[in-house]
Amino acid sequence: MELKLYNSMTQQKEIFTPKVPGKVGMYVCGVTAYDLSHIGHARAAVAFDVLYRYLQHLGYELTYVRNFTDVDDKIIRRANELGENPLSLSDRYCQEYLIDMADLQCLPPTHQPRVSDHMEQIKDMITQIINNDCAYVVDGDVFFAVDKSPNYGQLSGQKLEHTRAGERVAVDSRKRNPADFALWKAAKPDEPSWDSPWGLGRPGWHIECSAMSAQYLSFKFDIHGGGIDLIFPHHENEIAQSCAACKESNVSYWMHNGHVTNNNEKMSKSLGNFFTIRQITEQYHPLALRHFLTSAYYRSPLNYSVSQLESASDAVFYIYQTLQDCEVALSSFGEGNLKEGTGLKDGKVPRITPAAKDCINKLGSEFQTRMSDDLNTSHILTGAFQDALKFINSSLNMLKKKLPKQQQLSMFQSLVELEKEVKSVLGILGLMPPGTYSEVLEQLKAKALKRAGLVEEDVLRLIEERVTARKNKDFARSDQVRADLSAKGIALMDEGKETIWRPCVPVEQEQQTPSVEQEQKAAPIGQEHKTAATGEEQKAAATGEEQKA
């Protein structure tokens, strides 16, 4: 299928055609490094990381540039508050951002330029804009003359007579037009500054991205991305100044991700209603946060809520437990048996079952259809993907029974192929864990304990208390222990004579009936999956039977 991307410039989806066949140049506006990055920054990074991964999957050779703004009014103000050198402060937060990106499994861009390292390119571009009579100098400041940009407003739809100074641009009576914006700011006392033809100073906000994108991608490249709040004035001004410096300047596709909201209000540092990435990942696994961020179409608003993070955490636990069980089963069988066709007369590799082939085809088709439609990841991890996980689990349960050799081999081969397809989808979405499944499952359990305010010894002690209560036929206490833990996000499951625990979405007291699927994921392969559901323990004890999942 042809990839279609929504172009903010034309306000419609367009078939993606790079300027150079087989190669893609992409520039994404990064963070202003003056504080820890928040979940809104995470959304932009993950959205364009998914695009980066998918374009690579399609076979394109990419040059991906994501900048750091390390010279800015906000950085200077924060540094003055802390009594720190502005460049030292911004460097520290650049490094913290890279740690967050690694935690979220965002691939490193090809280039991550900083403003402070590109002063010569910035000054050269400003000089070119002045020479083309599109900027003017006033007392060491250089302003872009928006009246010289005939198409100003083409991206945002803003009419020039209605535009106002950007949020980082103070109204200045020296401007010829109030909408004119600074390309270069004259030095002020105790601020970092660089020498220039117009005197000591530093760049304005917008010029940096034009200069750095031209440096690494030329004036003509394929994709320019960022948050929807950057359309005006930042990206509008980028277009104006880039075209003023080079008439042939052109970006084929402008792409913008939607806001993250908190109680339906845009999450931002200026409003003080944000959560940092670090605050979230202290309580939830980074892969749970990434799952949450990819659960919505990148252009739509995404409302932050604890319940959605809980659901995302539960979903990734189920995914990795399924893959862990599958891996254990395939490992115990031995890959060599499949390659050699052990037990088959013709010695050929066994074929996958028709049901498995259908499941694989549906998963691949649904994934390709949604990704080709402007990276619509909102339902990729539901539907056919969930059907694939259920198929793996049902196949693993079937393999515990005595089956004819050929049928057994066919089922194992089906699991091998289905696992590959599931892992391919997860890989493109950036949701394959960096270590083993068992490692990430333990990490998810540790986060769940932290959110519950417990340590594992507490849970084991309560499990023992529940066992004792059941022996004493104190089923009210037994049910209460289970209910109390479930309310804290800890689910208890019974496997024969053993009780184990796993994370779950915290359940209200009156709704604490764990799903069969959750019960099944707790038990290792090769054992009967059993449960004693809340409120059913007394019945099971009275009849001498246990409820089977």
Side-chain angles (χ1 to χ4, degrees):
M1 295 182 184
E2 293 178 306
L3 172 61
K4 292 184 178 180
L5 298 176
Y6 184 87
N7 189 347
S8 299
M9 180 66 78
T10 60
Q11 297 184 31
Q12 64 184 4
K13 294 176 185 177
E14 300 175 357
I15 295 173
F16 178 67
T17 305
K19 294 182 182 296
V20 179
K23 296 185 177 182
V24 177
M26 179 168 74
Y27 185 95
V28 176
C29 290
V31 296
T32 300
Y34 70 97
D35 200 350
L36 291 173
S37 296
H38 59 66
I39 192 172
H41 298 133
R43 188 182 195 195
V46 168
F48 289 101
D49 181 67
V50 170
L51 175 59
Y52 184 29
R53 288 170 179 269
Y54 190 59
L55 289 172
Q56 286 181 322
H57 168 73
L58 294 179
Y60 290 107
E61 178 185 335
L62 273 87
T63 302
Y64 175 21
V65 184
R66 185 183 65 209
N67 76 300
F68 281 110
T69 297
D70 64 344
V71 178
D72 182 83
D73 293 343
K74 293 182 179 181
I75 296 170
I76 294 168
R77 283 198 296 270
R78 177 59 60 83
N80 289 339
E81 290 170 4
L82 299 176
E84 188 173 352
N85 178 278
L87 289 177
S88 296
L89 178 135
S90 59
D91 178 67
R92 178 157 54 85
Y93 284 118
C94 287
Q95 298 304 321
E96 296 291 353
Y97 178 80
L98 293 176
I99 292 171
D100 288 336
M101 292 302 99
D103 284 345
L104 290 172
Q105 296 199 160
C106 291
L107 298 174
T110 315
H111 304 287
Q112 299 189 79
R114 302 187 187 190
V115 176
S116 60
D117 295 328
H118 293 77
M119 288 298 166
E120 294 307 311
Q121 291 88 343
I122 290 170
K123 288 185 286 186
D124 287 346
M125 180 171 280
I126 293 173
T127 299
Q128 188 63 43
I129 293 171
I130 293 173
N131 291 343
N132 289 340
D133 195 30
C134 292
Y136 54 95
V137 183
V138 181
D139 302 328
D141 290 321
V142 181
F143 294 106
F144 183 86
V146 293
D147 292 326
K148 297 298 180 74
S149 180
N151 295 319
Y152 192 81
Q154 60 183 310
L155 177 65
S156 63
Q158 294 269 7
K159 293 184 178 180
L160 189 56
E161 59 268 26
H162 297 156
T163 58
R164 56 181 176 76
E167 60 184 51
R168 302 188 189 195
V169 184
V171 176
D172 191 329
S173 60
R174 299 174 301 159
K175 294 179 182 180
R176 298 175 184 173
N177 185 315
D180 291 352
F181 56 91
L183 299 177
W184 188 262
K185 297 182 177 183
K188 296 179 182 178
D190 301 320
E191 288 188 356
S193 60
W194 289 260
D195 196 14
S196 79
W198 320 286
L200 288 174
R202 57 185 173 87
W205 174 26
H206 314 293
I207 190 66
E208 64 188 70
C209 289
S210 289
M212 290 189 284
S213 62
Q215 169 71 17
Y216 294 98
L217 300 172
S218 82
F219 278 96
K220 294 188 287 186
F221 58 95
D222 300 297
I223 299 170
H224 195 314
I228 194 170
D229 54 318
L230 296 180
I231 290 178
F232 185 84
H234 186 51
H235 288 165
E236 194 70 73
N237 290 352
E238 271 193 67
I239 294 170
Q241 62 202 7
S242 293
C243 291
C246 175
K247 291 183 179 179
E248 296 180 355
S249 175
N250 176 261
V251 173
S252 299
Y253 307 88
W254 287 87
M255 297 180 66
H256 297 91
N257 64 276
H259 295 309
V260 176
T261 59
N262 186 359
N263 293 323
N264 298 312
E265 184 178 45
K266 177 195 169 187
M267 188 179 290
S268 69
K269 290 177 181 176
S270 59
L271 295 174
N273 65 344
F274 68 95
F275 293 96
T276 66
I277 298 170
R278 205 69 55 86
Q279 285 174 315
I280 302 297
T281 55
E282 283 180 2
Q283 297 292 321
Y284 296 89
H285 197 286
L287 286 170
L289 175 55
R290 185 170 179 121
H291 185 287
F292 165 67
L293 294 171
T294 56
S295 67
Y297 179 33
Y298 78 94
R299 292 185 56 239
S300 301
L302 178 61
N303 197 45
Y304 166 84
S305 72
V306 170
S307 63
Q308 288 200 65
L309 277 172
E310 290 284 0
S311 296
S313 184
D314 195 57
V316 295
F317 190 94
Y318 173 60
I319 291 169
Y320 301 140
Q321 184 69 68
T322 298
L323 292 175
Q324 163 78 355
D325 291 347
C326 185
E327 187 178 75
V328 169
L330 293 175
S331 176
S332 64
F333 182 75
E335 191 177 348
N337 289 333
L338 294 173
K339 288 183 177 179
E340 295 167 11
T342 302
L344 297 181
K345 293 180 180 179
D346 55 12
K348 294 181 180 179
V349 174
R351 294 182 179 180
I352 66 174
T353 66
K357 187 174 183 179
D358 183 59
C359 189
I360 290 169
N361 289 341
K362 284 182 177 178
L363 176 56
S365 175
E366 186 172 296
F367 178 73
Q368 187 180 26
T369 298
R370 294 188 183 281
M371 291 297 285
S372 296
D373 184 20
D374 194 33
L375 308 179
N376 191 351
T377 61
S378 57
H379 297 291
I380 282 176
L381 295 176
T382 60
F385 185 84
Q386 289 298 314
D387 290 342
L389 297 180
K390 291 174 183 177
F391 188 94
I392 290 173
N393 284 317
S394 63
S395 297
L396 293 174
N397 286 330
M398 283 290 293
L399 285 169
K400 291 181 292 184
K401 303 175 182 178
K402 289 186 177 181
L403 301 172
K405 188 70 174 180
Q406 187 161 346
Q407 185 180 352
Q408 187 185 58
L409 287 169
S410 183
M411 290 191 73
F412 272 110
Q413 186 65 42
S414 297
L415 284 173
V416 168
E417 298 303 321
L418 190 51
E419 182 195 38
K420 286 181 183 176
E421 192 70 23
V422 168
K423 288 168 69 175
S424 174
V425 169
L426 292 173
I428 294 168
L429 295 179
L431 287 169
M432 276 299 292
T436 64
Y437 299 128
S438 58
E439 287 172 343
V440 74
L441 288 169
E442 287 302 314
Q443 292 164 2
L444 284 160
K445 291 176 76 173
K447 295 287 187 184
L449 287 171
K450 186 173 184 178
R451 294 194 299 274
L454 300 170
V455 295
E456 189 159 26
E457 288 74 15
D458 296 328
V459 177
L460 297 178
R461 176 179 52 78
L462 288 167
I463 288 174
E464 286 301 314
E465 182 180 336
R466 178 172 171 267
V467 169
T468 301
R470 294 177 76 188
K471 286 180 180 178
N472 295 333
K473 297 186 179 181
D474 185 357
F475 301 113
R477 179 56 188 159
S478 173
D479 281 352
Q480 190 61 51
V481 168
R482 185 173 186 153
D484 290 345
L485 285 173
S486 184
K488 293 182 177 182
I490 305 295
L492 300 184
M493 275 76 61
D494 297 313
E495 294 178 8
K497 295 181 180 180
E498 183 184 5
T499 300
I500 65 170
W501 72 274
R502 59 145 285 176
C504 69
V505 176
V507 183
E508 295 293 335
Q509 293 283 350
E510 64 272 15
Q511 298 176 336
Q512 291 178 353
T513 302
S515 68
V516 170
E517 204 163 73
Q518 288 178 338
E519 301 288 358
Q520 287 179 335
K521 292 322 306 158
I525 295 303
Q527 294 186 19
E528 191 74 11
H529 296 297
K530 299 181 180 180
T531 177
T534 301
E536 293 294 320
E537 293 177 344
Q538 189 167 3
K539 179 181 176 182
T543 60
E545 297 178 355
E546 290 178 294
Q547 185 184 19
K548 295 186 179 181

